[in-house]
Amino acid sequence: MPQFARLPNRWMHLILGSLLAGVVTGPTGAEETRDSPTYARLKTALDETPAIDTHDHLWPFDQLPSLRETEHGRGVNLAGLWGNSYYTWYNPLTPWRDGMAFDDWWAEAKDDFDNARSASFYRYQLPAFEDLYGVDFDTITDDQARDLNRRIFENYQDQNWLYEVVTEKANIELMFNDPYWNRYGFEQTYPFEVIVFNVTPLVRGFHASEFVKDADSPYVFAEKHGLPVRTLAEYLEVLDKLFLEAKDHGAVCLKTTLAYQRTLRFENVPQERAEAAFGKRAAALSPQEIKDFEDFIMWRLCDLSARYELPFQIHTGQARIQGSNPMLLVDMIEAHPGTNFILFHGGYPWVDDMAVILQKSASHVWVDSCWLPMLSYSTAKRAFHEWLDAFPSNRIMWGADCNHGEGIYGATEFTRRCVAEVLAEKVDRGDLHEKHALRIGQQILRDNALELFPQLEDRLWKHTGERLTPETTAPTGGTDR
């Protein structure tokens, strides 16, 4: 230490920066890790593990958001795959105009990617282009782009392509699907789909005018079921009916994305304060009165989550970042020990805060890394390293969090690669036996979801050798595997 004290400040900063970089990235770089035999063995084993994907937004095939009107008719094309990816959340993309020629779009769009080459929100789709089409998008030529666009369009003329990519190429056995476009329909579109009940709008139920879309409105649901909604007590009965309906139709969990709209700090509000807001339009309420109502309903949703045994997936982190740190949920989590909480996206960027939350509440809290590797691959690696140091390995799940086949494939490959790298680094530096590393990887990709959702055992089908197609009504798996 005395030697360090005599160094100039600029050298101290360089040394400390190097030490911190070692903490963040581990003792080896990604390229060195991927060249190791340990990584190769673990990655191969994880690739062969049928995954349980705990979060996606896969629309019905004829409603895929990546569909475009082209000079050859309606279909999915390269512009649609990029336009409905996370790339457009953070970097500009030349818009597609209905009926335009691909060459006209590509002439402008091909330079759009120059500032995103190192970004995870761009790179996560590259494995799909390389593995499914044999194209290196980083070095793609105009002729290759034209041919890639043609092949994508042709593939999506047949729904079998989507099934092949998801269930065979990505090796996903079951996929949790959040149908925010039809929240209360509780309809299973795909045989590999697991229904999620999206409850996000329910906290705004103080007045029917809050709901622009019928698909979001609990008042429309109540009318269809002949339920009055004149008082807060009756509104709570509607919520109970919604939960019963979700459970009866096979929903296995709840999901909320309120972090995009407001703070994640939900107070334990007395019912009288919520009643004071009920029946009034937002214009007649103060921001505090609206928050009081939302907070009260959120706590009731936690109660219903426990009563109906529907674990609660909550978006945390990247959203409205002024109030999306998962630490803001801790009081509500501690007040509901009977509710199983799944905190999404690793709480990015607060992945270290997530670690201590799991340490303190390991009996009824899980972390889901969905979206995290696409937000920042290096942060995802650091998170997996830290989480596996901090809490039991059966508390981590993953999801692709995408809305088309290529995005799902790329996100799945990104996750498998990231987990395999982390585990290989722990094995190669002597911190973990390889057999234990393999088990942890399989827990993250599959077993942890099956442990939390044992009812899914009856839906497993990969062991039968069956191949799912659009004609498959339901897999004929069972638990004999």
Side-chain angles (χ1 to χ4, degrees):
M1 188 59 71
Q3 291 89 337
F4 277 90
R6 291 196 295 270
L7 288 173
N9 284 340
R10 66 180 184 276
W11 290 109
M12 283 293 292
H13 292 158
L14 286 172
I15 291 170
L16 288 172
S18 298
L19 290 172
L20 288 173
V23 170
V24 169
T25 63
T28 57
E31 205 57 47
E32 182 179 345
T33 299
R34 292 178 204 167
D35 288 339
S36 78
T38 309
Y39 171 81
R41 290 191 298 272
L42 288 170
K43 180 62 164 55
T44 297
L46 296 185
D47 286 345
E48 293 172 351
T49 300
I52 308 297
D53 173 353
T54 53
H55 185 55
D56 268 304
H57 301 287
L58 189 59
W59 291 60
F61 187 72
D62 61 352
Q63 300 174 41
L64 291 174
S66 47
L67 288 164
R68 296 291 183 271
E69 295 295 339
T70 78
E71 59 184 336
H72 304 294
R74 184 169 174 78
V76 176
N77 65 359
L78 183 60
L81 295 187
W82 279 117
N84 282 276
S85 73
Y86 290 112
Y87 173 88
T88 55
W89 287 37
Y90 308 110
N91 208 57
L93 181 71
T94 299
W96 178 269
R97 298 185 304 276
D98 285 353
M100 74 185 303
F102 173 77
D103 285 355
D104 293 339
W105 177 79
W106 181 248
E108 297 182 48
K110 64 183 178 181
D111 296 326
D112 291 344
F113 305 99
D114 288 349
N115 294 327
R117 297 296 185 183
S118 67
S120 298
F121 61 78
Y122 159 79
R123 301 203 65 81
Y124 84 92
Q125 290 212 124
L126 303 196
F129 298 130
E130 183 160 356
D131 297 349
L132 304 179
Y133 297 95
V135 173
D136 181 351
F137 198 86
D138 274 337
T139 62
I140 196 169
T141 66
D142 292 349
D143 287 341
Q144 288 175 325
R146 188 180 304 111
D147 185 62
L148 174 61
N149 182 70
R150 175 188 61 80
R151 292 168 64 195
I152 292 169
F153 187 86
E154 290 177 354
N155 283 339
Y156 275 92
Q157 296 304 299
D158 185 350
Q159 191 173 177
N160 279 292
W161 171 248
L162 184 60
Y163 281 64
E164 179 183 351
V165 172
V166 171
T167 65
E168 296 179 36
K169 302 296 188 182
N171 196 15
I172 291 171
E173 187 159 11
L174 295 174
M175 171 192 293
F176 288 46
N177 206 29
D178 171 12
Y180 58 85
W181 54 92
N182 185 23
R183 298 177 200 271
Y184 317 135
F186 310 122
E187 298 170 357
Q188 183 180 334
T189 303
Y190 301 96
F192 50 82
E193 178 182 359
V194 177
I195 298 173
V196 173
F197 176 19
N198 187 308
V199 299
T200 304
L202 297 179
V203 302
R204 299 287 293 187
F206 48 83
H207 196 274
S209 62
E210 284 298 298
F211 305 97
V212 176
K213 299 177 181 178
D214 285 354
D216 292 344
S217 175
Y219 286 84
V220 171
F221 174 87
E223 184 178 358
K224 288 179 180 178
H225 289 80
L227 300 173
V229 199
R230 297 162 301 197
T231 65
L232 177 58
E234 289 178 343
Y235 183 69
L236 295 178
E237 290 177 7
V238 171
L239 299 188
D240 193 76
K241 174 63 176 177
L242 265 168
F243 272 71
L244 184 61
E245 191 90 351
K247 188 78 171 182
D248 286 348
H249 284 78
V252 302
C253 64
L254 315 178
K255 166 75 186 306
T256 182
T257 56
L258 283 169
Y260 284 108
Q261 303 166 22
R262 51 152 290 163
T263 177
L264 288 181
R265 185 180 295 283
F266 298 96
E267 309 290 350
N268 186 12
V269 174
Q271 184 163 337
E272 304 79 63
R273 276 161 52 190
E275 285 175 336
F278 187 81
K280 298 177 183 176
R281 294 178 178 269
L285 298 171
S286 70
Q288 184 60 52
E289 287 173 321
I290 292 174
K291 184 179 183 299
D292 282 349
F293 186 89
E294 292 178 343
D295 290 1
F296 173 80
I297 296 298
M298 185 64 173
W299 279 57
R300 301 295 77 72
L301 294 178
C302 291
D303 295 338
L304 290 167
S305 170
R307 183 188 309 169
Y308 285 95
E309 298 182 326
L310 294 170
F312 206 158
Q313 297 177 333
I314 300 179
H315 181 115
T316 70
Q318 170 64 295
R320 182 184 173 277
I321 57 175
Q322 301 94 320
S324 60
N325 188 317
M327 290 292 284
L328 296 171
L329 293 168
V330 170
D331 286 344
M332 187 176 73
I333 288 172
E334 290 185 347
H336 293 89
T339 300
N340 290 327
F341 294 93
I342 305 168
L343 306 186
F344 265 21
H345 315 310
Y348 176 81
W350 298 286
V351 296
D352 47 355
D353 288 2
M354 188 67 76
V356 76
I357 292 172
L358 269 289
Q359 278 188 336
K360 297 287 288 184
S361 306
S363 64
H364 68 297
V365 180
W366 286 254
V367 60
D368 199 310
S369 67
C370 57
W371 196 24
L372 178 56
M374 294 98 84
L375 287 168
S376 170
Y377 189 89
S378 59
T379 301
K381 276 194 68 175
R382 175 168 66 87
F384 282 123
H385 267 297
E386 183 171 345
W387 295 343
L388 292 173
D389 288 346
F391 55 83
S393 58
N394 66 335
R395 317 308 287 190
I396 307 173
M397 289 179 284
W398 80 283
D401 201 358
C402 293
N403 63 20
H404 55 67
E406 284 75 3
I408 291 168
Y409 179 90
T412 304
E413 168 61 19
F414 240 42
T415 299
R416 283 194 168 105
R417 185 184 298 173
C418 189
V419 172
E421 283 181 29
V422 168
L423 294 173
E425 288 168 8
K426 287 184 177 295
V427 170
D428 285 344
R429 71 186 183 207
D431 291 342
L432 195 62
H433 287 293
E434 188 168 333
K435 66 177 182 179
H436 297 150
L438 175 57
R439 178 177 180 269
I440 290 171
Q442 292 171 334
Q443 283 182 303
I444 293 171
L445 290 174
R446 175 183 179 85
D447 295 341
N448 291 344
L450 293 177
E451 182 178 78
L452 181 57
F453 301 97
Q455 66 270 43
L456 297 182
E457 292 278 355
D458 290 336
R459 302 251 338 253
L460 300 178
W461 55 274
K462 284 271 188 177
H463 62 285
T464 68
E466 184 179 5
R467 185 175 183 269
L468 296 191
T469 69
E471 290 71 42
T472 306
T473 54
T476 55
T479 56
D480 183 18
R481 57 191 178 87

